Amino acid sequence: MSITARRIPINVEPVDGEALDSWLEALAARTRTNWGDLLAAVGLGGAASVRWLPQWMVAISTDQQSALHGATGVEPTTLAAMTLSHYEGRALAAKSRTTLDYRFPWGPRAGSRYCPQCLSESGGRWQLSWRLGWTFACLQHQCLLADSCPGCRSGAMERARPYGLIPRPGSCEAIDGVRSPRVARCGTDMSTSETLTFNDEAHRVLFAQRWINSIIDGEPLATGLYAQGDEQGRAVLSSVRAIAVRALSYAIPEELELIVASDLLDVYRRDHPQLPTSTQRSDFRQLRIRAPRSASLTAVGVLSALHCLDQPDVQSAGNELRWLTTAMRARKALPCTTNLLWTPGISRAVQLAALGPALKPSDQLRYRTITQWPSVPSRTHAEVRHLSRKIPTLLWPKLSLPLAIPGSHQRQLRAALSVALLLVGASVVLKHSVRILRSPIDEQGASRVLQLLQKQPEWPNINRAIDDLADCLNDTDVPIDYARRRTLDYRTLLPDSVWFRICRETDTAAQGSARAAVARCYLEELLSGGPTGVQGLKPMVRSKISDFPYYLTPALAAALDDHALEFLASQNVCDEPVRYEPPSTCMSGLQLPGINPDEADVDALHHYLQDGLPLGRAAQRAGIEIEAARYLLSSYPCPALRDGDHGAYFLAKQAFPRHRFIDHYNVECRSLRDIADIAGVSRQTMARLASDYEIDLRSGGRPPKRTVEREWLYTEYITRGRTLPELAREQGVGASTMARWARAHGIPLRSRGGTRKAAG
């Protein structure tokens, strides 16, 4: 139903930024009309109400706009801009056309703040922005806004104007009752109120108000975390409110001295002696929902947030917020991590960065507090399990050595670091990570090592190295499936007989079955990426396994790798290398407590070992930690001893490779003694070599009888055109014997030296 209103003969023009009720108040005063009569005349009338905010101040309907336009001539768009709907979605929100949503970050509360000087200069006209919970300072007059009447001390405009009285702009309308026009009003001139004035336009309070205005107006921020960002104004205001509420609730004035200027802090102490409100939960809840009653309270809260959010990055902002998390902990407000996760987005990242140093090391890894964007754990269990396939049970020594610390042996440190990698950005617990990796240490052991790491001065860099390594592995195609390696059956790995053969071939001292067992355990740990599965190993044996690289030579290492490949193939693992190490570039540039093995002098270590020094003394002479020396010798075995120091078997094999042995023994029919004399070794050594070559030895000095099939000989000699000496060597007989077989089978012989083309 449309509303019609007669044109009022006397008009008053609205002031820029004026609230609709302020303009109507001025119009009523100009026409000497009771407030209720004026509202009825312009189409906004109705029964008297005790509401502090008329419904048409929230949003004016189309019919009301038409009626008001007809009565005053003011354009409907101008009228709409004079209501709180002008700030819809930017500084407040409405549940309906007539009801405000107080869940929006600090929407309006009852009453209005004001600038006394603005009231004086404008004849008592009130700005719409003064009703916002986010307005606390006048930028024109560089002062803090006033909150109450200087006479009766009641809140400004907290109650509806009396319908039966003529408004007096700029005066306090507070009365004891609103239904009786005979009750006297306060009438105090509001422009006489005294407020805090700032002499410098660059004062932090004025900067904060301009900063808030930019957010509300949707302008890009010049500095801080939200500069050039994509965050919406509501999200930014939510972050400001979250920090401000907790600063007002938990911080004592002394903790605010580095953030709030002394002039504002004096007003804050005077007006709010009951703060902080951490013990008054009702006040805390009210601050979360409604804007603070006073401008000084709002200003202090916004400054506390601005001190943090005006930093260039999240970590810097977290450093500046840490005072508040410390204050909250001091007042027992943070029994668990999630209590601090107030809002999502940048604010949550800042809160986690601030809380980081106070968290357990495992939680620091989960929330990634050392990164530029800390966040709530997001990696799923499936992603964690996928990552575990890329991680050995004991972290690669190349990556654990730079993280070495006093009080933690490498075996425990490597196990704990592998567990720690699964915690990065994931909500899994230590017990689950330990179980996935089949770790030799339990969750208490892993936690103890992480706590030792946290106590180191280099902990921030250690934390960053673990985080970066987890990301690197997540994005890298690791060629070894360590989850599969952990489940292989290693009982058939490196039997004693194979070990002895390898030792003979590589001129290595076998040292009996004891050394074979040590070598077997060493190779199992190399392949599985974890500790050996052999039960009940004594500490002395474990020490020998760790020291096994001392006995490695390039030849022995290559032979063990060859056997390892054969073993993997027997376990149906045919597509993986024996060993793998990720690049250590993720640790470059970080100051870590251990040593970088890439910087060690391997040549010096080899030199001292070849001089006969034991491993410990050689490492000491080379300036290398013993654990680093073991790793280096495993990756870069010490070269073999000089010529002349080799064993008889090695010399025999070097002198007589298999094809030469066959030529001398089977083709030329030389005796084993003759061949041994040529090699300079015993007949027994040569017999052992023949056995390893799988060559049958003659008995009684006569070569064994062999049968040469006619079909094979015809195909090789006639069809393929091969020579008799060549075929004789292949069969291990003399050329004359092969000729006799050809004649016996009726195969025509070619002339001596002659060849025949293979049959086409």
Side-chain angles (χ1 to χ4, degrees):
M1 176 180 178
S2 62
I3 301 174
T4 59
R6 188 176 61 180
R7 184 65 176 263
I8 298 176
I10 300 176
N11 197 16
V12 176
E13 290 296 324
V15 176
D16 287 343
E18 186 177 13
L20 181 59
D21 59 348
S22 171
W23 170 62
L24 293 174
E25 182 184 62
L27 183 59
R30 177 73 177 79
T31 59
R32 303 293 298 167
T33 305
N34 289 345
W35 179 243
D37 294 339
L38 178 74
L39 294 182
V42 297
L44 300 177
S49 172
V50 296
R51 290 174 57 88
W52 71 274
L53 190 66
Q55 293 180 348
W56 43 264
M57 270 301 298
V58 177
I60 187 169
S61 68
T62 303
D63 290 343
Q64 290 172 333
Q65 289 180 29
S66 298
L68 195 51
H69 170 66
T72 63
V74 178
E75 293 298 323
T77 55
T78 302
L79 297 173
M82 298 170 70
T83 66
L84 290 175
S85 63
H86 175 67
Y87 293 104
E88 172 67 32
R90 298 185 293 132
L92 51 80
K95 284 185 178 179
S96 64
R97 192 179 64 80
T98 59
T99 308
L100 290 175
D101 183 359
Y102 290 103
R103 291 175 299 179
F104 192 94
W106 276 357
R109 62 173 302 150
S112 175
R113 297 170 188 153
Y114 65 94
C115 172
Q117 298 181 68
C118 286
L119 287 179
S120 177
E121 294 174 1
S122 65
R125 313 290 278 271
W126 292 69
Q127 291 287 303
L128 179 65
S129 62
W130 291 345
R131 280 209 171 90
L132 298 177
W134 293 105
T135 307
F136 49 85
C138 176
L139 299 178
Q140 179 182 353
H141 298 103
Q142 299 179 193
C143 67
L144 199 65
L145 296 183
D147 310 298
S148 58
C149 169
C152 67
R153 309 308 300 176
S154 61
M157 300 184 71
E158 281 193 350
R159 305 186 71 177
R161 297 173 180 82
Y163 271 41
L165 298 178
I166 299 174
R168 291 184 290 185
S171 298
C172 178
E173 299 283 352
I175 57 176
D176 291 336
V178 296
R179 297 186 180 277
S180 173
R182 294 184 294 274
V183 178
R185 292 175 288 190
C186 171
T188 301
D189 184 359
M190 306 288 273
S191 65
T192 62
S193 182
E194 295 183 359
T195 61
L196 176 62
T197 301
F198 310 108
N199 297 324
D200 183 5
E201 67 177 7
H203 195 281
R204 194 66 174 166
V205 172
L206 302 179
F207 175 81
Q209 185 64 72
R210 285 191 288 269
W211 189 71
I212 290 293
N213 291 348
S214 296
I215 297 172
I216 293 174
D217 295 339
E219 300 173 359
L221 298 176
T223 60
L225 294 177
Y226 294 98
Q228 309 300 326
D230 297 328
E231 293 277 354
Q232 299 296 319
R234 179 169 184 163
V236 181
L237 294 179
S238 294
S239 297
V240 175
R241 181 189 64 178
I243 298 173
V245 167
R246 282 153 180 84
L248 297 174
S249 300
Y250 295 101
I252 60 177
E254 289 73 16
E255 292 169 332
L256 296 166
E257 289 178 349
L258 296 177
I259 299 174
V260 180
S262 58
D263 49 2
L264 176 61
L265 195 57
D266 290 341
V267 175
Y268 176 82
R269 283 191 175 104
R270 182 195 67 201
D271 293 347
H272 313 287
Q274 81 282 5
L275 293 176
T277 64
S278 56
T279 58
Q280 304 171 33
R281 303 307 299 171
S282 59
D283 290 346
F284 176 76
R285 285 193 294 269
Q286 284 297 316
L287 284 174
R288 292 182 61 186
I289 299 173
R290 295 178 181 268
R293 177 185 178 89
S294 71
S296 62
L297 204 62
T298 306
V300 169
V302 171
L303 283 173
S304 299
L306 180 61
H307 178 72
C308 161
L309 300 178
D310 198 32
Q311 300 300 317
D313 56 70
V314 168
Q315 286 298 329
S316 299
N319 291 336
E320 298 302 335
L321 185 65
R322 195 159 296 135
W323 70 272
L324 179 55
T325 61
T326 302
M328 295 177 70
R329 281 189 174 275
R331 292 161 186 86
K332 300 180 180 179
L334 291 176
C336 63
T337 306
T338 53
N339 277 22
L340 194 64
L341 305 183
W342 311 322
T343 57
I346 290 179
S347 177
R348 177 171 291 180
V350 172
Q351 295 158 37
L352 287 170
L355 188 61
L359 297 177
K360 298 184 298 184
S362 55
D363 280 337
Q364 292 187 39
L365 294 171
R366 290 188 183 97
Y367 290 92
R368 310 189 72 174
T369 59
I370 198 65
T371 66
Q372 285 302 313
W373 195 266
S375 61
V376 174
S378 58
R379 281 181 178 158
T380 64
H381 280 246
E383 291 173 327
V384 171
R385 189 167 291 279
H386 175 70
L387 181 60
S388 71
R389 306 185 78 89
K390 301 180 178 184
I391 301 174
T393 302
L394 302 178
L395 189 67
W396 300 278
K398 183 178 182 179
L399 300 179
S400 67
L401 286 169
L403 303 175
I405 57 172
S408 179
H409 190 274
Q410 271 290 307
R411 183 171 290 270
Q412 283 71 41
L413 179 64
R414 291 171 60 194
L417 289 173
S418 289
V419 170
L421 288 174
L422 296 185
L423 300 179
V424 175
S427 58
V428 297
V429 297
L430 275 171
K431 184 177 181 179
H432 183 64
S433 299
V434 167
R435 186 168 60 250
I436 290 178
L437 293 175
R438 298 190 176 188
S439 181
I441 60 174
D442 56 17
E443 56 184 310
Q444 289 80 13
S447 178
R448 187 162 50 250
V449 173
L450 289 177
Q451 290 171 12
L452 287 175
L453 289 169
Q454 187 185 27
K455 292 179 181 179
Q456 305 304 311
E458 301 87 355
W459 166 245
N461 286 332
I462 296 173
N463 190 347
R464 184 175 297 279
I466 296 173
D467 189 280
D468 291 347
L469 179 56
D471 278 345
C472 176
L473 291 174
N474 201 56
D475 299 334
T476 300
D477 292 329
V478 176
I480 293 179
D481 182 350
Y482 284 101
R484 179 169 60 178
R485 290 283 182 96
R486 284 187 278 270
T487 61
L488 296 182
D489 183 359
Y490 291 96
R491 288 177 296 180
T492 59
L493 178 66
L494 196 63
D496 286 1
S497 59
V498 175
W499 165 251
F500 295 142
R501 176 180 59 78
I502 289 176
C503 288
R504 291 194 299 269
E505 292 177 349
T506 59
D507 195 29
T508 302
Q511 298 292 323
S513 297
R515 179 66 59 79
V518 170
R520 190 159 41 250
C521 292
Y522 165 81
L523 194 57
E524 179 183 344
E525 293 187 355
L526 182 67
L527 289 173
S528 67
T532 177
V534 178
Q535 300 296 321
L537 288 181
K538 296 181 179 179
M540 181 181 297
V541 178
R542 292 193 179 277
S543 179
K544 289 181 178 180
I545 296 172
S546 299
D547 287 340
F548 184 78
Y550 172 75
Y551 302 99
L552 281 177
T553 62
L556 177 58
L560 289 176
D561 283 354
D562 290 341
H563 172 71
L565 287 174
E566 294 175 2
F567 168 78
L568 291 175
S570 71
Q571 298 282 323
N572 296 320
V573 180
C574 304
D575 55 347
E576 295 181 357
V578 173
R579 67 184 83 195
Y580 167 79
E581 283 182 340
S584 58
T585 52
C586 58
M587 295 184 177
S588 59
L590 298 177
Q591 295 296 324
L592 299 172
I595 68 168
N596 183 354
D598 292 337
E599 299 175 356
D601 190 348
V602 182
D603 292 336
L605 179 62
H606 288 172
H607 171 74
Y608 290 120
L609 289 175
Q610 288 183 323
D611 282 349
L613 292 181
L615 178 58
R617 291 185 59 189
Q620 185 179 19
R621 290 279 188 89
I624 303 174
E625 294 289 338
I626 184 66
E627 291 290 352
R630 288 166 175 158
Y631 160 72
L632 291 172
L633 292 177
S634 178
S635 301
Y636 312 100
C638 184
L641 298 177
R642 292 176 293 277
D643 291 341
D645 295 329
H646 296 296
Y649 183 92
F650 182 84
L651 294 175
K653 187 172 183 178
Q654 291 294 105
F656 284 91
R658 188 174 189 276
H659 69 277
R660 190 180 180 201
F661 194 110
I662 291 174
D663 283 344
H664 279 64
Y665 187 71
N666 286 343
V667 177
E668 299 178 8
C669 295
R670 296 194 181 189
S671 68
L672 201 60
R673 172 66 66 184
D674 292 339
I675 299 174
D677 290 341
I678 295 173
V681 298
S682 67
R683 183 183 181 283
Q684 289 77 7
T685 299
M686 218 50 155
R688 185 182 303 156
L689 182 61
S691 175
D692 290 342
Y693 283 160
E694 297 181 349
I695 297 175
D696 295 333
L697 295 180
R698 298 189 294 269
S699 60
R702 298 180 60 82
K705 292 184 178 180
R706 292 181 179 272
T707 301
V708 177
E709 299 293 336
R710 184 183 189 283
E711 183 180 356
W712 174 84
L713 182 57
Y714 186 89
T715 300
E716 298 298 323
Y717 184 68
I718 300 298
T719 305
R720 297 183 179 177
R722 298 176 64 186
T723 65
L724 287 179
E726 182 181 356
L727 298 178
R729 281 195 299 271
E730 182 174 322
Q731 291 294 322
V733 298
S736 59
T737 301
M738 190 60 65
R740 285 197 301 271
W741 277 109
R743 286 191 292 270
H745 291 314
I747 298 174
L749 297 178
R750 298 189 293 271
S751 61
R752 180 170 297 183
T755 60
R756 180 179 176 181
K757 293 184 179 179

